[in-house]
């Protein structure tokens, strides 16, 4: 893997990549990144996460099954809340993101084709890292899994690899559970695709963030 980057660059340059080169990443490199992610904090150091990495034939079978079931409605372990039920601020941010990503392409048809093609093919990555936590976990463990995921994604960026965490990859948990032999008493949280990015328009979009004043309050 490449040498380390400046930390601020790692944080600001990490962004979701949606079209990978499908260039294999070694088990040794993936293990090194996962070991770094294990440094994430967790409630009383409970470390509720388990990590399952799909590569090779196993990942290809998952991708093939997902293509076959593409028109089916997803049934992820964490329920998906209808957009209208989100807070008004978060709805505005989501609408803004959709608007911007569509306008990043030549026209709506191209945006639709590239975005849906990317998700149908699970972003063409040679590895997906699935995270689970024990079934019936406290919400604190979801927080901990999030810390693990972000540490993993930043560690990856630091070593020259890009990532995307996706609902798409965990929308059929029965497929992932069977392929990865995940026990029934674990909840599938997220799948993180990882690899080197293709030189493609879909990968050059950098999502914006709200002005910090909108989310920050100091009180002396
Ligand atoms: C829990 C979670 C699930 C996500 N699922 C998807 C997904 O299914 N498809 C997708 O294209 N992006 C997915 N994303 C990526 C977000 O769209 C992305 O993180 C957000 O737009 C901010 O952009 P950035 O990651 O490039 O900074 C997901 C992100 C998170 C945190």
């Amino acid at each position: 893997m490449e040498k380390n980057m400046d930390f601020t660059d790692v944080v600001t340059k990490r962004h979701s990549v949606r079209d990978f080169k499908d260039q294999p990443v070694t088990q040794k490199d993936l293990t090194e990144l996962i070991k770094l992610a294990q440094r994430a904090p967790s409630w009383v150091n409970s470390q509720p996460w388990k990590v399952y990495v799909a590569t090779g034939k196993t990942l290809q079978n998952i991708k093939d099954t997902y293509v076959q079931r593409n028109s089916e409605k997803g049934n992820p372990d964490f329920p998906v809340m209808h957009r209208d039920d989100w807070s008004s601020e978060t709805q505005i941010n989501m609408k803004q993101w959709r608007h911007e990503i569509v306008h990043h392409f030549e026209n709506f048809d191209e945006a639709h084709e590239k975005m849906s093609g990317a998700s149908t093919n699970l972003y063409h990555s040679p590895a997906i890292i699935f995270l689970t936590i024990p079934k019936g976990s406290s919400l604190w463990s979801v927080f901990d899994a999030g810390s693990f995921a972000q540490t993993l994604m930043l560690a990856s960026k630091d070593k020259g690899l890009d990532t995307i965490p996706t609902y798409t990859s965990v929308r059929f948990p029965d497929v992932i559970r069977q392929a990865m032999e995940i026990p029934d008493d674990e909840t599938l949280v997220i799948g993180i695709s990882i690899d080197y990015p293709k030189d493609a328009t879909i990968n050059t979009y950098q999502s914006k963030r709200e002005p910090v004043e909108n989310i920050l309050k100091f009180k002396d």
Side-chain angles (χ1 to χ4, degrees):
M1 284 189 285
E2 285 176 21
K3 67 179 170 61
N4 301 4
M5 290 165 61
D6 171 76
F7 181 72
T8 305
D9 277 350
V10 169
V11 174
T12 53
K13 291 190 174 153
R14 182 220 57 83
H15 74 287
S16 293
V17 159
R18 294 183 171 82
D19 193 5
F20 293 101
K21 282 187 173 165
D22 204 1
Q23 182 178 322
V25 184
T26 64
Q27 274 197 15
K28 183 174 165 283
D29 287 351
L30 289 167
T31 306
E32 189 182 323
L33 297 171
I34 288 154
K35 209 169 161 191
L36 282 168
Q38 281 185 285
R39 296 309 310 170
S42 60
W43 183 278
V44 200
N45 204 23
S46 51
Q47 305 169 68
W49 43 69
K50 288 275 189 304
V51 185
Y52 298 85
V53 186
T55 59
K57 270 193 192 148
T58 300
L59 181 55
Q60 194 53 53
N61 287 339
I62 291 172
K63 286 179 179 171
D64 292 346
T65 312
Y66 269 53
V67 169
Q68 282 162 21
R69 292 179 60 175
N70 199 32
S71 57
E72 271 179 49
K73 193 173 172 338
N75 183 29
D77 282 354
F78 289 159
V80 174
M81 194 162 79
H82 193 279
R83 288 278 157 93
D84 297 347
D85 297 329
W86 289 63
S87 75
S88 54
E89 288 95 338
T90 59
Q91 287 191 40
I92 290 167
N93 287 335
M94 289 190 277
K95 276 190 190 130
Q96 175 93 8
W97 177 82
R98 279 179 168 261
H99 177 82
E100 280 174 9
I101 201 148
V102 165
H103 285 85
H104 182 67
F105 293 90
E106 288 281 309
N107 52 53
F108 178 83
D109 287 347
E110 193 201 348
H112 179 72
E113 187 200 315
K114 298 287 183 204
M115 290 297 283
S116 62
S119 79
T120 303
N121 295 294
L122 294 180
Y123 314 96
H124 297 112
S125 72
I128 303 184
I129 302 166
F130 294 101
L131 305 185
T132 71
I133 56 174
K135 216 164 236 172
S137 284
S138 148
L139 281 178
W140 296 106
S141 297
V142 180
F143 177 93
D144 299 343
S147 297
F148 184 101
Q150 175 70 342
T151 308
L152 176 66
M153 293 187 284
L154 294 179
S156 304
K157 186 76 202 170
D158 188 44
K159 307 286 186 195
L161 285 156
D162 281 292
T163 53
I164 183 168
T166 65
Y167 148 80
T168 303
S169 63
V170 291
R171 72 193 196 280
F172 302 123
D174 55 320
V175 175
I176 308 304
R177 206 166 255 119
Q178 192 188 25
M180 303 308 293
E181 298 177 14
I182 297 174
D184 285 343
D185 60 357
E186 292 177 27
T187 297
L188 186 58
V189 178
I190 199 77
I192 300 171
S193 295
I194 180 166
D195 195 24
Y196 302 94
K198 260 196 204 146
D199 187 9
T201 306
I202 197 170
N203 291 335
T204 54
Y205 171 68
Q206 281 270 14
S207 59
K208 297 205 180 73
R209 297 295 186 267
E210 282 202 55
V212 73
E213 312 81 73
N214 292 3
I215 61 135
L216 173 65
K217 176 176 174 179
F218 285 110
K219 201 156 183 276
D220 257 338

